[in-house]
């Protein structure tokens, strides 16, 4: 079961979203073990993975919403609950349901903040910034990036801070001041010891 789960998480590294389907095997194993929680863990991660990889299935949002109460009540700070919220945020944004997307995304961000894990904080905050940009709200997107920068200062190392600045310049140029700011950031990164 856990091997299938870990294999699914390698999809991004391997560049192969079909690895996410190894969670179908995990679901079958959990069903054979008569363990509904493990079956729902595999389902939730599979749905999130498909949305994250751009291969969402019909009815994804409904299935994730069905899983939400169980994980919220039993495992409120779990990685799976974080994934359900991220999946719902991404899926809602795809359907231009921005209010729901922001709500779910903010809840996921708050979980990541409680963990104090910079990678997951970054992933959730970038998602929220992208949603605000899709809404045509670059100032609000910039606020998420500013908060993310503060987390990098608090938790990160020099190389992480430089990576954040470079990523923000490339991915969110409209939030940091345009071309002149990008040139200044890249120049600083290039000359940083």
């Amino acid at each position: 079961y856990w091997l299938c789960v870990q294999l699914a998480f390698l999809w991004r590294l391997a560049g192969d979203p079909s690895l996410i389907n190894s969670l179908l095997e995990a679901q079958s194993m959990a069903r054979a073990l008569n363990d509904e929680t493990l079956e729902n863990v595999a389902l939730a991660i599979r749905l999130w993975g498909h949305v994250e990889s751009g291969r969402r299935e019909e009815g994804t949002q409904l299935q994730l919403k069905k899983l939400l109460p169980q994980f919220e009540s039993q495992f409120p700070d779990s990685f799976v609950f974080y994934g359900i919220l991220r999946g719902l945020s991404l899926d809602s944004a795809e359907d231009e349901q921005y209010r729901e997307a922001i709500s779910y995304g903010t809840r996921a961000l708050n979980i990541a903040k409680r963990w104090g894990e910079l990678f997951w904080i970054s992933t959730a905050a970038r998602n929220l910034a992208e949603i605000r940009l899709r809404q045509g709200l670059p100032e609000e997107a910039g606020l998420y990036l500013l908060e993310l920068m503060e987390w990098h200062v608090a938790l990160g190392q020099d190389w992480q801070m430089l990576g954040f600045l470079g990523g923000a310049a490339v991915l969110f140029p409209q939030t940091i001041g345009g071309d002149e700011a990008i040139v200044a950031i890249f120049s600083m990164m290039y000359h940083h010891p």
Side-chain angles (χ1 to χ4, degrees), residues 5-6 8 12 16 19 24 40 45 50 53-54 56 59 65 78 88 90 94 114 124 131 141 148 167 170 187:
V5 171
Q6 291 303 314
R12 191 181 308 268
D16 184 2
L19 289 174
L24 291 169
N40 287 340
I45 295 171
H50 280 283
S53 68
R56 70 181 180 149
K65 283 181 180 179
S78 69
L88 283 167
L90 292 165
E94 282 299 311
R114 287 193 295 274
I131 292 168
L148 181 53
V170 170
S187 176

Side-chain angles (χ1 to χ4, degrees), residues 83-96:
I84 291 170
L85 292 170
R86 288 269 299 122
L88 283 167
S89 179
L90 292 165
D91 198 64
S92 296
E94 282 299 311
D95 291 338
E96 297 182 1

Side-chain angles (χ1 to χ4, degrees), residues 7 73 183:
L7 185 61
S73 65
V183 170

Side-chain angles (χ1 to χ4, degrees), residues 2-178:
W2 292 111
L3 180 62
C4 291
V5 171
Q6 291 303 314
L7 185 61
F9 280 119
L10 293 175
W11 78 265
R12 191 181 308 268
L13 184 64
D16 184 2
S18 70
L19 289 174
I20 297 166
N21 289 330
S22 65
L23 289 162
L24 291 169
E25 184 68 25
Q27 283 178 259
S28 295
M29 289 177 199
R31 208 172 297 117
L33 294 169
N34 202 26
D35 191 325
E36 185 180 354
T37 299
L38 287 180
E39 185 176 352
N40 287 340
V41 165
L43 173 61
I45 295 171
R46 183 174 62 81
L47 293 170
W48 172 29
H50 280 283
V51 172
E52 188 86 33
S53 68
R55 302 172 65 212
R56 70 181 180 149
E57 303 168 352
E58 186 69 34
T60 293
Q61 196 169 120
L62 180 62
Q63 290 181 72
L64 287 170
K65 283 181 180 179
K66 281 183 178 178
L67 295 169
L68 191 67
Q70 174 191 1
F71 286 93
E72 184 171 25
S73 65
Q74 295 178 4
F75 311 102
D77 278 337
S78 69
F79 183 72
V80 177
F81 185 54
Y82 171 87
I84 291 170
L85 292 170
R86 288 269 299 122
L88 283 167
S89 179
L90 292 165
D91 198 64
S92 296
E94 282 299 311
D95 291 338
E96 297 182 1
Q97 299 170 347
Y98 296 122
R99 181 177 296 184
E100 292 85 2
I102 292 293
S103 175
Y104 291 127
T106 300
R107 291 172 67 189
L109 178 59
N110 289 335
I111 290 171
K113 287 177 185 177
R114 287 193 295 274
W115 295 340
E117 292 287 338
L118 193 53
F119 177 78
W120 299 112
I121 294 169
S122 297
T123 303
R126 278 194 211 112
N127 173 58
L128 290 164
E130 288 168 1
I131 292 168
R132 290 301 190 194
L133 286 177
R134 287 174 72 173
Q135 291 180 283
L137 302 169
E139 296 83 17
E140 289 189 32
L143 293 175
Y144 286 113
L145 296 177
L146 180 60
E147 181 182 10
L148 181 53
M149 183 179 71
E150 291 169 355
W151 277 97
H152 275 79
V153 169
L155 300 175
Q157 299 172 349
D158 286 349
W159 66 270
Q160 289 169 313
M161 187 64 189
L162 291 173
F164 164 74
L165 290 172
V170 170
L171 299 173
F172 304 101
Q174 61 274 51
T175 66
I176 62 164

